[in-house]
């Protein structure tokens, strides 16, 4: 597996599904699991400390509310961690975003946007990182971007 796709709870899956679908499209292999930073601290530490030896190249971690999952995973692994803030009812995801983006110096979490755009961008960022050493993934990413350009140009024609 290239990517560990980790959620704080099963209720995060509908938000993370776009990440998984785009990883599939880009030919990036992944496993998915639920690890709660607050309810499963021992499992989180164990997973984080073993992720590299289990041949993951990076971790995408999605969480909402007091979203400590990405930061706690980052504290327990040398692998890059991409944080996906899940939109919450209480604060619209700002709580999740700030929990991830305001990491203290020394423990970075690459944080993407709140919601669906962030879920997709996490997959794209993962593909960019993996594509540095995997030509198939790099080709898939290039094709994806070329298709985006074609769609944008085609949409311009609809304005005439």
């Amino acid at each position: 597996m290239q990517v560990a796709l980790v959620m704080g709870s099963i209720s995060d899956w509908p938000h993370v599904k776009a990440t998984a679908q785009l990883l599939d499209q880009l030919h990036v292999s992944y496993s998915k699991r639920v690890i709660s930073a607050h309810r499963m601290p021992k499992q989180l530490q164990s997973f984080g400390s073993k992720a590299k030896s289990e041949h993951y190249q990076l971790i995408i971690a999605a969480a909402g509310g007091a979203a400590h999952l990405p930061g706690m995973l980052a504290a327990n692994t040398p692998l890059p961690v991409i944080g996906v803030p899940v939109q919450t009812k209480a604060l619209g995801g700002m709580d999740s975003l700030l929990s991830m983006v305001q990491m203290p110096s020394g423990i970075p979490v690459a944080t993407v946007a709140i919601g669906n755009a962030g879920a997709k961008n996490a997959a794209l960022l993962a593909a960019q990182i993996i594509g540095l050493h995997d030509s198939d993934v790099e080709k898939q990413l290039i094709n994806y971007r070329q298709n985006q350009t074609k769609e944008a140009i085609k949409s311009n024609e609809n304005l005439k």
Side-chain angles (χ1 to χ4, degrees):
M1 291 294 149
Q2 295 168 304
V3 173
L5 183 54
V6 184
M7 296 155 271
S9 72
I10 193 63
S11 64
D12 295 333
W13 174 244
H15 305 282
V16 180
K17 195 172 184 178
T19 308
Q21 290 170 335
L22 194 45
L23 289 172
D24 286 336
Q25 183 180 339
L26 296 169
H27 298 186
V28 175
S29 64
Y30 63 92
S31 68
K32 54 186 183 277
R33 67 185 69 220
V34 171
I35 303 175
S36 169
H38 300 108
R39 294 179 296 273
M40 302 168 66
K42 290 179 184 173
Q43 291 86 346
L44 181 147
Q45 285 183 321
S46 176
F47 176 77
S49 66
K50 294 176 184 174
K52 186 173 181 180
S53 66
E54 292 180 5
H55 305 289
Y56 290 107
Q57 295 179 32
L58 62 94
I59 298 170
I60 297 174
H68 296 113
L69 178 63
M72 291 305 299
L73 284 168
N76 284 283
T77 186
L79 297 176
V81 175
I82 302 170
V84 180
V86 171
Q87 191 163 3
T88 58
K89 292 178 185 175
L91 297 172
M94 285 301 295
D95 47 348
S96 312
L97 174 67
L98 293 173
S99 292
M100 293 176 198
V101 79
Q102 288 300 119
M103 289 298 297
S105 175
I107 307 293
V109 171
T111 306
V112 294
I114 299 166
N116 196 49
K120 290 178 179 179
N121 281 341
L124 293 167
L125 182 55
Q128 287 176 309
I129 294 168
I130 291 167
L132 292 170
H133 303 288
D134 185 324
S135 61
D136 179 50
V137 172
E138 180 185 35
K139 287 175 190 172
Q140 294 300 321
L141 184 60
I142 290 168
N143 289 339
Y144 179 87
R145 288 190 169 184
Q146 288 171 342
N147 287 336
Q148 279 187 315
T149 301
K150 288 175 187 175
E151 288 177 22
I153 290 169
K154 189 175 181 179
S155 68
N156 214 2
E157 294 169 4
N158 293 332
L159 296 174
K160 296 178 183 176

